[in-house]
């Protein structure tokens, strides 16, 4: 599955690629180019409701379901997402789902005073998806507290597993998780960590690509699938090095389409079917 729900993060990527802080129209055009190029190979396409959802939905083939981001992001321009909530434009009883078959919530997981509040946020999201008649995709991303960093006690791999043990039993239809070790480790070590993560997760899961270099993602997906994952829901590892190119459709055809095809081949050969998880 292809993730294209980045908002201010995508604008920052354009800036870092030398294009400056581009207008909304440029971001929408990029999202639509990605949808045209990659959705024929994907089983799902994730997008936000602000930047081009209706146009993107019209481009998806019947084999590719629309996933709609339901997260309201607290994020300064140029900075990372700090916290999230539920976007009422999506989750309200009369919210427009634009034909989506699933909705997605990003949760920033920390060992701090808001930890229990985030668990309840995840519960509310899963309940809401069920009430709206769509699948729920829960995406926890772990972050250190200032105290953990100061004390030198932060261990991201253990945090990913702790978050999985806390949040996956709540019952999302799909759990979207960070790749252990950033995907950069010998294959045997990466497979051991993915197997350990798979033991911690209740229900079907896929990996995201944030923090993983594009050249490492294929091996990371293979290791995750051997550890019990049902595939991936990724954005940056597919198209980040195409952002800011003068001819985006040509670059997607040259770089991203073959990259996605290789990933699809691995998933077809190695992944645990979602229905069997």
């Amino acid at each position: 599955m292809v993730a294209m729900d980045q908002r201010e993060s995508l604008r920052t990527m354009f800036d870092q690629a030398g294009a400056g802080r581009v207008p909304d129209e440029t971001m929408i055009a990029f999202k639509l180019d990605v949808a045209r190029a990659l959705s024929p190979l994907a089983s799902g396409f994730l997008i936000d409701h602000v930047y081009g959802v209706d146009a993107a939905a019209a481009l998806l083939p019947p084999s590719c379901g629309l996933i709609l981001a339901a997260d309201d992001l607290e994020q300064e321009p140029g900075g990372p997402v700090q916290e999230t909530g539920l976007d009422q434009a999506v989750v309200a009883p009369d919210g427009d789902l634009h034909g989506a078959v699933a909705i997605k919530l990003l949760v920033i997981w920390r060992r701090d005073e808001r930890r229990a509040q985030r668990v309840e946020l995840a519960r509310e999201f899963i309940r809401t998806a069920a009430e709206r008649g769509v699948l729920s995709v829960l995406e926890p991303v772990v972050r250190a507290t200032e105290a953990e960093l100061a004390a030198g006690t932060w261990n991201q791999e253990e945090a990913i597993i702790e978050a999985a043990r806390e949040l996956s039993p709540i019952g999302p239809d799909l759990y979207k998780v960070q790749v252990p070790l950033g995907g950069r480790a010998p294959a045997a070590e990466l497979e051991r960590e993915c197997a350990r993560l798979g033991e911690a997760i209740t229900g079907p899961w896929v990996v995201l690509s944030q923090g993983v270099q594009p050249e490492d993602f294929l091996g990371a997906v293979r290791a995750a699938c051997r550890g019990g994952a049902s595939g991936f829901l990724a954005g940056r590892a597919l198209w980040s090095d195409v952002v800011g190119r003068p001819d985006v459709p040509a670059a997607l055809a040259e770089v991203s389409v073959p990259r996605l095809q290789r990933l699809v081949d691995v998933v077809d050969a190695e992944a645990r079917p979602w229905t069997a998880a």
Side-chain angles (χ1 to χ4, degrees):
M1 296 176 285
V2 176
M4 197 65 260
D5 63 321
Q6 293 77 8
R7 285 149 264 180
E8 285 306 311
S9 297
L10 179 59
R11 206 184 310 269
T12 297
M13 292 171 69
F14 271 100
D15 195 10
Q16 292 171 340
R21 295 193 63 78
V22 297
D24 293 356
E25 292 75 13
T26 300
M27 298 213 301
I28 292 171
F30 184 81
K31 288 171 182 267
L32 298 183
D33 283 338
V34 171
R36 289 187 191 93
L38 300 187
S39 66
L41 292 173
S43 58
F45 188 85
L46 168 62
I47 193 169
D48 57 284
H49 73 87
V50 178
Y51 299 109
V53 60
D54 286 326
L59 296 171
L60 304 184
S63 56
C64 183
L66 179 69
I67 307 169
L68 186 62
D71 32 40
D72 184 25
L73 309 180
E74 295 180 21
Q75 182 179 22
E76 294 294 329
V81 175
Q82 294 298 328
E83 292 290 350
T84 66
L86 290 176
D87 189 335
Q88 293 303 310
V90 175
V91 302
D94 59 349
D96 189 353
L97 296 181
H98 305 274
V101 298
I103 57 177
K104 183 271 303 185
L105 174 68
L106 168 66
V107 174
I108 304 300
W109 185 92
R110 293 187 183 92
R111 299 184 184 98
D112 62 10
E113 68 281 356
R114 296 184 63 177
R115 181 169 176 171
Q117 181 179 337
R118 296 188 193 98
V119 172
E120 184 50 41
L121 173 66
R123 292 185 190 278
E124 182 182 356
F125 164 71
I126 292 167
R127 286 195 302 266
T128 299
E131 290 167 359
R132 298 297 315 269
V134 294
L135 300 172
S136 56
V137 180
L138 186 64
E139 179 189 5
V141 169
V142 302
R143 297 268 178 80
T145 64
E146 291 184 7
E148 287 171 321
L149 292 176
T153 58
W154 173 248
N155 183 314
Q156 180 160 304
E157 313 318 315
E158 295 305 320
I160 291 171
I161 287 177
E162 186 176 341
R165 288 176 176 149
E166 180 170 271
L167 293 172
S168 67
I170 296 173
D173 292 297
L174 188 64
Y175 191 83
K176 183 184 177 189
V177 65
Q178 291 159 280
V179 173
L181 304 171
R184 180 158 288 185
E189 182 181 357
L190 192 54
E191 287 182 24
R192 283 196 300 270
E193 284 298 309
C194 287
R196 197 161 72 97
L197 178 58
E199 291 172 359
I201 297 174
T202 300
W205 57 285
V206 295
V207 289
L208 56 94
S209 65
Q210 183 188 60
V212 182
Q213 295 301 312
E215 62 269 21
D216 295 326
F217 194 56
L218 184 67
V221 169
R222 181 180 289 110
C225 289
R226 290 177 178 176
S230 295
F232 61 89
L233 176 47
R236 289 171 175 83
L238 299 175
W239 47 255
S240 62
D241 46 359
V242 172
V243 174
R245 298 274 192 104
D247 188 340
V248 170
L252 286 167
E254 178 185 355
V255 175
S256 300
V257 170
R259 184 180 287 161
L260 179 55
Q261 184 62 67
R262 289 191 292 270
L263 288 161
V264 169
D265 291 343
V266 166
V267 170
D268 286 347
E270 304 272 5
R272 177 175 61 166
W274 176 73
T275 52

